[in-house]
Amino acid sequence: MEPEFDLQVSEEFREARPAPGGISVGKEKRDAAKPRVDALIFVAQHHGVELDRKALRALPGEVPSPAALVTWAREGGLWAKATRLRWRHLIRMQSDTPVVLLLSDGGAGIVVSRDANAGTVSVQDPNRPGEKPVAVDELRLANVWRGDVLLVRRERGAAADEEPFSFSWMMYRVLEERRNLREIAVASISLSVLQIVPPFLILVAIDRVITHQAMSTLGMISLILILVTAYDTLLGYARREIIEVTATRIDARLGMHVFRRLLALPMDFFERHPTGETARKVGQIFNIRSFFTGKLVSTFLDIFTLIALLPFLFWMSATLAWLVLAASAVVALVVLAFLPAIRRVFARLVTAENRKNSVLVETVYGMRTVKSLAIERVRNEEWDARVAEAGQARLDAGRISNVAQTIVNPIEAFINRGVLLVGCYLLVAWPPGSTGITGGVLIAFLMLGARVASPLISLAKLMQDIEEVRLSVSEVADVLNHPTETAAMRNGLRPKFEGAIAFQDLSFTYQGSTVPALDRVSFEIPAGTMLGLVGRSGSGKSTIARLLQGINREYNGYLKIDSIDLREINLTHLRSSFGVVMQDNFLFRGTVRDNIIASRPGLTLEHAMQAARLAGAEEFIERLPRGYETWIEETSSNLSGGQRQRLAIARALVSDPRLLILDEATSALDPESEALVNANLLRIAKGRTMIIVSHRLSSLVDCDQILVLERGKVVDIGPHEELLERCAVYRQLWQQQHRHLEGGRPRSLKSSAARE
C-alpha cells in the first residue's frame, strides 16, 4: 500500500500541473488549483458551508497560496487558519474535524481520522471523494508533506468583527495584547522602584556626606546614581519601544476592522448619510486609539509609580504626604465639577466639526459642478459659516478647559512649592527629631512628591479625557454599529443560476417615504430573456434593478430567481452572478486592464481584451497611449463619458455573468458609441438574462419583453410591436420620442440583420 499512496499523490500532481500556455496536461487535464480547492470545499461541506469557486482570489492555473485559501474560507463564513504542524501534533489532535494537508508538490490531502495507537492517519484524496481513505504513517507522509496544514471550522459565536463597537470592545482589543502589556507592566514596576533610589541617595548625601565629610561615600553614591541612570534610560527606551509596537498592532487591527465594517454596510446607509460626516465619524477611531495607547496607558503606568512611592512618602513624613493627597483630591473635585459643562460643549463641537467636514468633502467631490455653475462664492460663504460655527464651539470648549486649568494650576503649584514651605516650617519651628524631617528628608520628599502628585493629577484629569473619548466612541458607533450585510454575505444558498426571474405581488417602500416605489408588482420572465424596463421618472424602474442586486431586501411579496427566493441566496454569490452597468459608473485609479478585471483580479489580459471587444471598447483602448496599461486618473478625467461607459460595460461582462443589468447604461453615450453598444447588445445578451433600464425606447425594440411601469405598478408587458398596439402608456412614450421619424418606427436590429 505504501507505493500506492506515493504514486497517487505524485501522479495527481503531474496531472494537475499546467503546461506552457496555460493548457493543462495529463489524463483529465486538471487545473493546478483543483486539489487544494477541492480539499477545502470537501471540508467546508463537512461543516455545512458551500464555497463559491469564483470567489477564490488566485490566478488561473496557479496553485493557490495558503493565505488565499484562508481568505476564501473566511469570506465563506468559516474560521480558517494556515499553520505548520509536526507529526506528533497532527496525530494527537483531539478534534474529529478534517484537516487539509497542503502537500509540497502543490497537491492536497484531507486527514479524516487518526489512530495514535497504530501511528497512522487516514488521508482522503479530495479528487476521489468516493474512494476509501488511505492509512498513512509518518515515514510515508514525510515524502510529500512538510507540515503545512489548513485548520477549518465553523465560527463559534459572534466574531470580533460583528460585535458592537463600544468602549468595552475597544478595551478588549487593547487587552488582547496581553504579552506586550505584561512586559510593559514589568518595565514600569522596575522603573518605579528605580525612581525611589536617587532621592534616598540624595538624602544620604545631604545628611551623611555633608555632615561627616565622607568623600568615599560620595564616590559610591555617584557610581550608584550613574548605574541607576543608565539602567533607567535603557529600561525606559525598552518600555517606549514596546508601547509603540503595541500601538502599531492595535492601529493596524483597528484600520482593518473599520474598513471591513464599512464594506459590510448596506448601500442605503451611504445614500442617506453625507460622505464627509461618515468620514469624520470614522476618523474618530484613531483619536480613540491614541487615548487607549497613549493617555490611558501612561496613566495606568503612573499608577505603578504611585503604588510604589506612596508608602515611602508616608514613611518620610505623614504630614507632608497627606498634604499631597489632599491637594490631588481637590484637583479631582474641580475636574468632576466641570464635567457636565465639558460634556455639553464638546458635543456641540463634534456636531459643528461634522457639518464643516461635510461641506469640505461635498465641495471637493463635486468640484466639477462647482466650477461649471460658477458657485465658488456660494460654497465659500457656506464654508465660512461652518468654520465660524466650529470655531465658536472650539473657543467655548477651550474657555471651559481654560477656566478649569486656571483653578487647578495654584493647587498644582502648592504641591510643588507649598509642600516645600510647610516642610521648611516644620524643620525650623519644631525641635530637631520631633517631626522626623531633616534637610535630606525634605529634599528627597520633594523629589518623590512631584512624581507621586503627577499620577494623581493625571488620574483626575483622566475622567475628563474619558468623557471626550466617550463622545468619539458614540460617533464611531453611529457608523460601525449600523446593521451590516455580513450575515447575508456569508450565509445562504449558492445556486448555479439559469436566469429565470419572477416578481410575485411585490411591494416596496423606501425608508422615510409613505408612497410605495413598487406596488404589488408581478411578472415572470424565463432564463435568457432580454427584458426592457420603461416608464416615466419615478415609476420604479431602477428600484427593480436595486432589488435584483439585493441592495434593498425589506420588501413584501416574493422575488425569485430560478424559483429560489432572493433573500435565501448568499448575497456575495448573488451580486457576483450579476453584471451591473449604471448611468454614472465609477472607475478606480489604476490601469484600464485593472479596471476591467476589478471584479475578478485573477483574470488575464486575454479575458480583459475579450470583454472590451464585446463591449465595443477595444477600438478606443488600442488608441490610448499605452493601450490596456494606460493609467486612469482620479475621476477618470483622461477619458470621455462614452469611453468610461464602455469600460464599465466591459467590467460587467468580464466575469461572464448569467444575469446582466444595464441601468441607463447608454444614456451618457454619444450617438456613435450608443449605436456601437446597441449593435453588440444581441451578442452580449446571448446565453444570459439581461435587464435593460432605459428612457430611450429605441434601444429596447429588440428586447424579448418590455415591462411598462407607471407609479410603481405594472401597466403591461410584451414585445415592442404588441405594446405599440395595445398599451396607451407605452405608445404615448414612443410617440413623444419618435415624432421626427417617418412612420414613428425605427428599423429593428434583428430585422436588419435578417435581411443582411
Side-chain angles (χ1 to χ4, degrees):
M1 187 173 292
E2 178 177 347
E4 178 185 350
F5 177 75
D6 291 341
L7 288 174
Q8 180 177 335
V9 174
S10 58
E11 178 185 356
E12 177 66 34
F13 178 63
R14 285 196 300 271
E15 292 175 358
R17 189 184 299 277
I23 301 175
S24 302
V25 297
K27 297 178 182 178
E28 299 177 32
K29 300 185 184 226
R30 289 181 177 137
D31 181 31
K34 194 173 189 302
R36 293 189 173 186
V37 171
D38 287 347
L40 191 50
I41 288 177
F42 179 93
V43 175
Q45 290 173 342
H46 172 82
H47 295 292
V49 175
E50 290 289 340
L51 294 179
D52 183 9
R53 293 176 183 268
K54 292 182 179 179
L56 176 62
R57 299 172 187 174
L59 292 173
E62 75 171 6
V63 177
S65 66
L69 294 172
V70 167
T71 301
W72 183 35
R74 288 178 177 176
E75 290 177 349
L78 294 165
W79 178 92
K81 180 181 180 181
T83 186
R84 295 201 118 194
L85 291 179
R86 295 181 181 273
W87 168 262
R88 64 176 182 271
H89 297 143
L90 178 65
I91 200 169
R92 292 176 183 172
M93 291 181 67
Q94 299 297 321
S95 173
D96 293 331
T97 300
V99 176
V100 179
L101 302 178
L102 303 179
L103 305 183
S104 55
D105 60 6
I110 307 166
V111 176
V112 294
S113 63
R114 306 157 191 83
D115 189 343
N117 295 327
T120 61
V121 295
S122 296
V123 180
Q124 176 73 56
D125 185 350
N127 295 302
R128 299 178 176 87
E131 294 186 2
K132 185 178 179 181
V134 179
V136 185
D137 58 20
E138 180 181 6
L139 182 60
R140 293 166 58 198
L141 189 59
N143 293 328
V144 293
W145 180 63
R146 298 293 179 265
D148 295 319
V149 299
L150 279 182
L151 303 178
V152 182
R153 60 169 170 79
R154 290 191 69 87
E155 286 283 4
R156 296 173 183 169
D161 283 352
E162 294 305 304
E163 294 175 3
F165 181 84
S166 62
F167 197 91
S168 58
W169 183 94
M170 190 71 194
M171 178 65 76
Y172 187 78
R173 299 286 82 75
V174 175
L175 293 178
E176 285 181 342
E177 299 292 331
R178 291 183 180 87
R179 179 179 177 182
N180 287 342
L181 292 177
R182 281 196 300 267
E183 294 177 354
I184 293 171
V186 170
S188 300
I189 293 173
S190 302
L191 288 171
S192 299
V193 173
L194 286 176
Q195 288 179 6
I196 301 173
V197 177
F200 275 89
L201 291 176
I202 298 298
L203 184 154
V204 172
I206 294 176
D207 290 347
R208 301 288 188 273
V209 173
I210 295 178
T211 303
H212 302 289
Q213 301 293 313
M215 297 303 295
S216 59
T217 304
L218 179 63
M220 181 62 68
I221 290 174
S222 301
L223 179 61
I224 295 174
L225 280 176
I226 292 173
L227 293 176
V228 168
T229 302
Y231 189 69
D232 182 85
T233 302
L234 292 175
L235 199 58
Y237 169 80
R239 187 179 74 167
R240 289 190 297 272
E241 177 71 16
I242 298 172
I243 291 175
E244 287 299 323
V245 170
T246 304
T248 302
R249 287 168 59 90
I250 294 173
D251 195 41
R253 288 183 179 178
L254 282 179
M256 292 187 291
H257 170 76
V258 169
F259 201 72
R260 284 196 299 265
R261 199 62 178 259
L262 285 176
L263 291 177
L265 292 175
M267 189 64 215
D268 65 340
F269 173 86
F270 298 99
E271 293 173 342
R272 290 186 286 105
H273 293 80
T275 304
E277 179 182 331
T278 301
R280 159 79 181 178
K281 288 182 176 180
V282 170
Q284 294 297 313
I285 197 167
F286 299 106
N287 296 335
I288 300 170
R289 191 272 300 164
S290 297
F291 167 77
F292 274 94
T293 58
K295 294 180 181 177
L296 186 64
V297 171
S298 62
T299 300
F300 277 101
L301 293 180
D302 288 339
I303 290 177
F304 289 116
T305 302
L306 180 64
I307 295 173
L309 300 186
L310 201 57
F312 288 94
L313 289 183
F314 277 94
W315 176 73
M316 285 186 289
S317 174
T319 303
L320 297 181
W322 281 116
L323 285 176
V324 171
L325 290 179
S328 301
V330 173
V331 172
L333 291 175
V334 171
V335 173
L336 285 174
F338 276 88
L339 271 184
I342 290 173
R343 185 185 300 117
R344 288 193 299 271
V345 75
F346 269 94
R348 188 156 57 88
L349 175 60
V350 166
T351 302
E353 287 291 342
N354 281 339
R355 292 177 179 174
K356 185 179 79 170
N357 205 53
S358 296
V359 172
L360 176 62
V361 174
E362 185 180 51
T363 302
V364 172
Y365 186 76
M367 189 59 72
R368 181 176 298 178
T369 302
V370 171
K371 295 293 184 181
S372 63
L373 296 178
I375 57 173
E376 291 92 341
R377 181 177 179 181
V378 175
R379 299 303 295 178
N380 193 62
E381 289 175 353
E382 185 173 359
W383 172 254
D384 290 346
R386 294 289 176 258
V387 169
E389 181 185 8
Q392 185 61 49
R394 187 169 294 281
L395 179 61
D396 293 341
R399 283 172 174 169
I400 290 289
S401 299
N402 189 22
V403 171
Q405 187 64 43
T406 302
I407 297 175
V408 167
N409 277 344
I411 305 172
E412 292 181 354
F414 171 78
I415 294 175
N416 295 324
R417 304 165 193 169
V419 170
L420 172 63
L421 297 177
V422 172
C424 291
Y425 170 77
L426 294 175
L427 184 63
V428 173
W430 292 80
S434 61
T435 61
I437 297 179
T438 63
V441 168
L442 182 58
I443 294 176
F445 187 95
L446 291 175
M447 294 177 66
L448 290 178
R451 295 173 183 253
V452 168
S454 179
L456 287 171
I457 295 172
S458 298
L459 194 60
K461 291 182 178 180
L462 184 66
M463 292 180 285
Q464 176 181 338
D465 296 329
I466 288 176
E467 194 59 39
E468 296 176 17
V469 168
R470 284 191 181 278
L471 288 174
S472 298
V473 168
S474 65
E475 282 200 291
V476 177
D478 190 43
V479 176
L480 300 188
N481 290 349
H482 191 278
T484 66
E485 298 177 327
T486 303
M489 296 171 71
R490 289 181 176 176
N491 305 322
L493 304 175
R494 290 183 171 88
K496 184 176 181 180
F497 290 120
E498 295 296 328
I501 296 174
F503 280 64
Q504 298 175 0
D505 199 31
L506 187 146
S507 297
F508 172 75
T509 303
Y510 285 102
Q511 185 175 351
S513 175
T514 57
V515 179
L518 295 177
D519 187 7
R520 295 183 297 242
V521 170
S522 297
F523 68 90
E524 294 185 20
I525 58 171
T529 299
M530 186 190 300
L531 175 70
L533 298 181
V534 300
R536 297 180 176 88
S537 296
S539 60
K541 303 183 299 297
S542 294
T543 301
I544 288 179
R546 289 170 64 93
L547 295 183
L548 284 170
Q549 299 170 64
I551 293 177
N552 302 98
R553 295 158 68 93
E554 303 80 22
Y555 53 81
N556 298 319
Y558 297 94
L559 196 175
K560 296 183 178 181
I561 300 179
D562 296 336
S563 301
I564 303 173
D565 192 291
L566 182 136
R567 286 173 289 203
E568 297 179 0
I569 300 173
N570 178 274
L571 197 55
T572 302
H573 177 71
L574 173 72
R575 291 174 180 170
S576 64
S577 300
F578 270 99
V580 181
V581 185
M582 296 173 287
Q583 180 177 0
D584 185 18
N585 291 280
F586 180 83
L587 297 180
F588 299 96
R589 292 183 75 246
T591 65
V592 170
R593 172 182 175 271
D594 292 338
N595 270 274
I596 293 178
I597 64 172
S599 62
R600 299 285 298 279
L603 296 181
T604 62
L605 177 60
E606 287 72 24
H607 293 97
M609 294 174 65
Q610 183 179 356
R613 191 177 304 117
L614 194 58
E618 187 179 42
E619 53 88 17
F620 87 80
I621 293 176
E622 291 176 347
R623 295 199 306 269
L624 293 175
R626 299 184 60 191
Y628 286 86
E629 298 303 318
T630 299
W631 188 265
I632 297 177
E633 301 294 341
E634 191 171 359
T635 71
S636 314
S637 57
N638 56 334
L639 296 177
S640 68
Q643 290 173 337
R644 288 197 298 269
Q645 203 71 351
R646 280 183 278 174
L647 279 184
I649 295 174
R651 182 170 61 187
L653 295 174
V654 74
S655 59
D656 191 25
R658 297 293 300 171
L659 304 103
L660 183 64
I661 296 176
L662 303 181
D663 190 354
E664 299 290 354
T666 60
S667 60
L669 300 180
D670 56 83
E672 181 181 356
S673 299
E674 183 183 10
L676 184 61
V677 172
N678 286 338
N680 287 339
L681 278 181
L682 295 179
R683 243 183 344 138
I684 293 173
K686 187 176 181 181
R688 69 181 101 245
T689 299
M690 181 182 292
I691 312 294
I692 306 175
V693 180
S694 180
H695 283 94
R696 299 180 184 178
L697 304 189
S698 58
S699 61
L700 304 178
V701 295
D702 292 313
C703 289
D704 302 308
Q705 297 286 322
I706 300 176
L707 180 69
V708 184
L709 297 166
E710 182 74 10
R711 296 183 180 179
K713 295 184 178 181
V714 174
V715 177
D716 202 347
I717 183 171
H720 167 71
E721 298 293 340
E722 293 182 11
L723 291 177
L724 278 180
E725 299 296 333
R726 71 181 187 225
C727 182
V729 175
Y730 185 81
R731 185 167 53 250
Q732 182 182 7
L733 292 173
W734 179 265
Q735 289 173 351
Q736 288 174 350
Q737 295 184 20
H738 301 94
R739 289 173 181 170
H740 62 287
L741 295 178
E742 183 180 354
R745 301 188 182 187
R747 189 174 68 174
S748 169
L749 291 173
K750 288 181 178 178
S751 59
S752 61
R755 281 196 294 270
E756 292 174 1

XYZ file of all heavy atoms in Angstrom, residues 7-39:
250
model
N 2.551 7.089 -5.246
C 2.308 7.242 -6.675
C 1.044 8.032 -6.925
O 0.963 8.847 -7.847
C 2.211 5.862 -7.350
C 3.527 5.102 -7.479
C 3.257 3.702 -8.022
C 4.496 5.840 -8.386
N 0.047 7.812 -6.076
C -1.222 8.512 -6.273
C -1.036 10.016 -6.136
O -1.541 10.789 -6.929
C -2.236 8.025 -5.235
C -3.602 8.686 -5.353
C -4.580 8.105 -4.346
O -4.422 6.986 -3.906
N -5.578 8.874 -4.010
N -0.264 10.411 -5.137
C -0.059 11.835 -4.925
C 0.762 12.451 -6.041
O 0.418 13.478 -6.609
C 0.621 12.073 -3.560
C 0.972 13.534 -3.387
C -0.290 11.607 -2.436
N 1.862 11.786 -6.404
C 2.717 12.357 -7.442
C 2.024 12.359 -8.795
O 2.174 13.291 -9.578
C 4.035 11.575 -7.514
O 3.780 10.204 -7.773
N 1.241 11.322 -9.061
C 0.519 11.285 -10.332
C -0.531 12.391 -10.386
O -0.692 13.066 -11.402
C -0.158 9.920 -10.503
C -0.982 9.822 -11.797
C -1.746 8.509 -11.874
O -1.567 7.672 -10.973
O -2.513 8.359 -12.818
N -1.186 12.588 -9.247
C -2.191 13.647 -9.178
C -1.564 14.998 -9.481
O -2.113 15.811 -10.209
C -2.812 13.657 -7.772
C -3.825 14.770 -7.533
C -5.048 14.588 -8.378
O -5.452 13.442 -8.639
O -5.585 15.611 -8.817
N -0.366 15.193 -8.930
C 0.288 16.478 -9.164
C 0.696 16.634 -10.622
O 0.573 17.688 -11.204
C 1.504 16.603 -8.246
C 2.261 17.881 -8.463
C 1.664 19.095 -8.208
C 3.559 17.865 -8.929
C 2.344 20.273 -8.401
C 4.243 19.041 -9.127
C 3.630 20.242 -8.852
N 1.183 15.530 -11.230
C 1.574 15.632 -12.639
C 0.365 15.949 -13.505
O 0.432 16.721 -14.450
C 2.232 14.316 -13.089
C 3.652 14.131 -12.572
C 4.348 13.033 -13.360
N 3.662 11.763 -13.242
C 3.910 10.870 -12.294
N 4.804 11.142 -11.365
N 3.266 9.726 -12.253
N -0.776 15.354 -13.162
C -1.977 15.628 -13.945
C -2.461 17.055 -13.737
O -3.074 17.648 -14.612
C -3.084 14.647 -13.549
C -2.783 13.214 -13.960
C -3.845 12.259 -13.438
O -4.755 12.737 -12.741
O -3.757 11.065 -13.723
N -2.181 17.586 -12.548
C -2.689 18.922 -12.250
C -1.773 20.027 -12.739
O -2.179 21.160 -12.851
C -2.888 19.077 -10.741
N -0.489 19.699 -13.034
C 0.468 20.743 -13.409
C 0.128 21.319 -14.787
O -0.002 20.593 -15.760
C 1.887 20.174 -13.416
C 2.956 21.255 -13.574
C 4.323 20.631 -13.674
N 4.670 19.885 -12.490
C 5.172 20.435 -11.397
N 5.356 21.724 -11.335
N 5.475 19.687 -10.361
N -0.009 22.685 -14.896
C -0.338 23.272 -16.182
C 0.852 23.253 -17.132
O 2.000 23.438 -16.719
C -0.724 24.711 -15.816
C 0.006 24.982 -14.540
C 0.102 23.686 -13.835
N 0.556 23.025 -18.372
C 1.593 23.057 -19.401
C 1.810 24.479 -19.867
O 1.049 25.379 -19.558
C 1.158 22.171 -20.576
N 2.878 24.749 -20.628
C 3.101 26.090 -21.157
C 1.891 26.560 -21.951
O 1.262 25.813 -22.672
C 4.337 25.909 -22.060
C 5.040 24.715 -21.481
C 3.969 23.817 -20.969
N 1.599 27.879 -21.803
C 0.444 28.428 -22.497
C -0.828 28.321 -21.705
O -1.886 28.727 -22.150
N -0.763 27.787 -20.494
C -1.936 27.724 -19.642
C -2.842 26.557 -19.926
O -3.931 26.481 -19.403
N -2.432 25.591 -20.767
C -3.273 24.443 -21.083
C -2.817 23.264 -20.250
O -1.642 22.931 -20.211
C -3.192 24.092 -22.582
C -3.626 25.295 -23.411
C -4.031 22.880 -22.903
C -3.466 25.085 -24.890
N -3.755 22.617 -19.544
C -3.415 21.506 -18.658
C -3.033 20.282 -19.466
O -3.489 20.077 -20.583
C -4.604 21.187 -17.755
O -4.969 22.321 -17.012
N -2.185 19.416 -18.873
C -1.811 18.157 -19.492
C -2.197 17.038 -18.555
O -2.547 17.242 -17.402
C -0.295 18.122 -19.781
C 0.085 19.182 -20.766
C 0.506 18.259 -18.498
N -2.121 15.825 -19.010
C -2.481 14.694 -18.181
C -3.773 14.078 -18.644
O -4.443 14.561 -19.537
N -4.159 12.979 -17.986
C -5.316 12.222 -18.429
C -6.586 13.051 -18.383
O -7.401 13.020 -19.285
C -5.459 10.982 -17.547
C -4.288 10.015 -17.656
C -4.489 8.851 -16.712
C -3.285 7.906 -16.777
N -3.431 6.788 -15.839
N -6.800 13.803 -17.256
C -8.049 14.525 -17.105
C -7.873 16.028 -17.288
O -8.798 16.793 -17.120
C -8.627 14.239 -15.710
C -8.915 12.774 -15.498
C -9.408 12.532 -14.091
O -10.072 13.418 -13.537
O -9.116 11.467 -13.546
N -6.636 16.482 -17.640
C -6.350 17.896 -17.884
C -6.842 18.766 -16.728
O -7.576 19.715 -16.908
C -6.978 18.360 -19.201
C -6.458 17.584 -20.381
C -6.982 18.135 -21.679
C -6.523 17.285 -22.818
N -6.015 17.850 -23.934
N -6.431 18.404 -15.529
C -6.901 19.105 -14.352
C -6.135 20.405 -14.150
O -4.978 20.524 -14.507
C -6.731 18.219 -13.117
C -7.705 17.063 -13.111
C -7.494 16.242 -11.867
N -8.463 15.162 -11.819
C -8.157 13.929 -11.472
N -6.925 13.613 -11.201
N -9.099 13.005 -11.423
N -6.784 21.349 -13.546
C -6.169 22.614 -13.203
C -5.282 22.410 -11.977
O -5.590 21.615 -11.090
C -7.270 23.633 -12.913
C -6.706 24.989 -12.567
O -5.636 25.318 -13.088
O -7.341 25.704 -11.780
N -4.168 23.171 -11.902
C -3.254 23.021 -10.768
C -3.912 23.382 -9.448
O -3.518 22.891 -8.391
C -2.013 23.902 -10.994
N -4.905 24.247 -9.482
C -5.564 24.675 -8.247
C -6.554 23.646 -7.739
O -6.974 23.705 -6.581
C -6.276 26.008 -8.479
N -6.935 22.678 -8.575
C -8.056 21.800 -8.248
C -7.859 20.993 -6.961
O -8.788 20.920 -6.144
C -8.346 20.863 -9.419
C -9.682 20.149 -9.322
C -9.967 19.370 -10.585
C -11.390 18.823 -10.589
N -11.665 17.964 -9.446
N -6.713 20.337 -6.714
C -6.602 19.534 -5.488
C -6.853 20.332 -4.215
O -7.623 19.906 -3.351
C -5.165 19.001 -5.544
C -4.809 19.024 -6.994
C -5.498 20.217 -7.559
N -6.220 21.484 -4.078
C -6.393 22.277 -2.864
C -7.800 22.861 -2.780
O -8.393 22.921 -1.695
C -5.347 23.389 -2.803
C -3.928 22.869 -2.621
C -2.925 23.967 -2.338
N -1.616 23.418 -2.009
C -0.582 24.140 -1.607
N -0.702 25.450 -1.485
N 0.575 23.558 -1.318
N -8.333 23.310 -3.906
C -9.690 23.860 -3.921
C -10.693 22.784 -3.540
O -11.586 22.995 -2.703
C -10.013 24.454 -5.304
C -11.494 24.820 -5.397
C -9.145 25.683 -5.559
N -10.568 21.607 -4.147
C -11.491 20.512 -3.835
C -11.381 20.089 -2.377
O -12.386 19.747 -1.743
C -11.207 19.314 -4.744
C -11.666 19.557 -6.174
O -12.417 20.531 -6.385
O -11.266 18.784 -7.068
N -10.167 20.087 -1.839
C -9.977 19.697 -0.439
C -10.697 20.662 0.496
O -11.380 20.244 1.444
C -8.489 19.645 -0.104
